[in-house]
């Protein structure tokens, strides 16, 4: 694709934003395949389809930011939509995995921690945006997201993955707990930054 051409496009139709749209569009495919296989007793190959689409969606999370920086196509719309797409993908996948019993028992708490943190951070970002305060994503938060996506990928593979790697589900659960621990730490960082600006706003 010609760079000059991409720069001339409306920013909402730029390649980075199209990749973000694709990540959102992947959600019903992933959820539908897992639902069909687990709830409706469909064939196991549906798990592989769900995993392939989920991995592709995860890759777009990296590529949209990469191309936005490389082609100078960063936009307010993209900055708003990108984290929303990530949260929709993670939240819907966790809920589906809980529904099909891939996540159960004590592991449900790891999923609850992750979901609560996402709601907390979204609320803080919305409030701070009103104050024109930007909270940058830390490297640790990026690692948290990576571990989270890998964990969900293993759990999506589930029973189908067990036929290739016997400990597939266990690996997914362990990684999900690791992600939950990182989630608490990074969530506290965001909360602390938010409280700092809240106090300054009240004092002002």
């Amino acid at each position: 694709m010609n760079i000059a051409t991409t720069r001339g496009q409306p920013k909402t139709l730029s390649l980075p934003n199209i990749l973000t749209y694709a990540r959102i569009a992947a959600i019903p495919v992933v959820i539908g395949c897992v639902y069909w296989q687990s709830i409706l007793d469909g064939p196991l190959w549906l798990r592989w389809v769900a995993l392939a689409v989920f991995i592709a969606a995860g890759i777009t999370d990296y590529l949209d930011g990469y191309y936005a920086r490389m082609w100078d196509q960063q936009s307010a719309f993209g900055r708003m939509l990108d984290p929303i797409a990530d949260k929709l993908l993670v939240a819907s996948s966790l809920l589906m995995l809980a529904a099909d019993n891939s996540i159960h028992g004590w592991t449900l708490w790891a999923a609850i921690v992750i979901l609560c943190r996402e709601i907390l951070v979204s609320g803080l970002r919305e409030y701070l945006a009103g104050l024109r305060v930007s909270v940058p994503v830390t490297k640790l938060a990026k690692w948290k997201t990576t571990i989270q996506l890998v964990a969900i990928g293993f759990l999506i593979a589930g029973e189908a993955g067990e036929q290739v790697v016997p400990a597939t589900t266990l690996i997914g659960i362990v990684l999900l707990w690791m992600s939950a621990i990182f989630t608490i730490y990074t969530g506290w960082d965001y909360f602390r930054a938010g409280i700092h600006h809240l106090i300054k706003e009240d004092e002002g």
Side-chain angles (χ1 to χ4, degrees):
M1 182 179 290
N2 186 285
I3 295 178
T5 301
T6 61
R7 284 181 175 169
Q9 292 176 339
K11 288 195 173 183
T12 54
L13 294 178
S14 63
L15 179 59
N17 284 343
I18 290 172
L19 290 172
T20 303
Y21 301 148
R23 187 153 71 257
I24 295 174
I27 295 170
V29 179
V30 173
I31 302 308
C33 286
V34 175
Y35 183 87
W36 186 1
Q37 189 281 315
S38 60
I39 309 298
L40 302 180
D41 294 323
L44 276 181
W45 59 262
L46 287 167
R47 287 279 182 166
W48 293 117
V49 174
L51 179 61
V53 175
F54 182 82
I55 290 172
I59 291 173
T60 66
D61 187 26
Y62 167 78
L63 291 179
D64 59 11
Y66 173 77
Y67 285 125
R69 291 186 296 271
M70 184 174 73
W71 290 340
D72 191 24
Q73 291 184 332
Q74 293 173 316
S75 64
F77 184 79
R79 287 192 295 272
M80 179 273 295
L81 191 62
D82 181 60
I84 290 175
D86 296 342
K87 289 171 175 55
L88 288 175
L89 180 63
V90 168
S92 58
S93 296
L94 288 175
L95 288 172
M96 187 66 250
L97 291 167
D100 86 335
N101 217 35
S102 295
I103 298 174
H104 63 278
W106 286 101
T107 309
L108 284 170
W109 286 104
I112 290 169
V113 165
I114 291 169
L115 291 175
C116 287
R117 183 265 190 190
E118 298 301 348
I119 294 170
L120 171 68
V121 171
S122 294
L124 282 173
R125 283 186 178 278
E126 182 178 350
Y127 174 77
L128 293 175
L131 299 179
R132 298 187 179 279
V133 174
S134 175
V135 181
V137 178
T138 64
K139 287 186 178 181
L140 186 59
K142 290 180 180 179
W143 273 107
K144 181 271 303 179
T145 300
T146 301
I147 296 171
Q148 195 169 267
L149 292 175
V150 172
I152 292 172
F154 272 95
L155 292 171
I156 286 174
E159 189 180 347
E162 295 284 347
Q163 296 180 351
V164 180
V165 180
T168 294
T169 302
L170 178 60
I171 292 171
I173 289 173
V174 169
L175 289 174
L176 192 68
W177 275 109
M178 287 177 60
S179 173
I181 293 169
F182 281 120
T183 288
I184 293 171
Y185 185 83
T186 57
W188 170 249
D189 273 352
Y190 282 116
F191 182 72
R192 185 173 54 186
I195 290 297
H196 172 71
H197 290 290
L198 275 170
I199 293 172
K200 285 180 64 178
E201 179 72 6
D202 287 340
E203 289 176 347

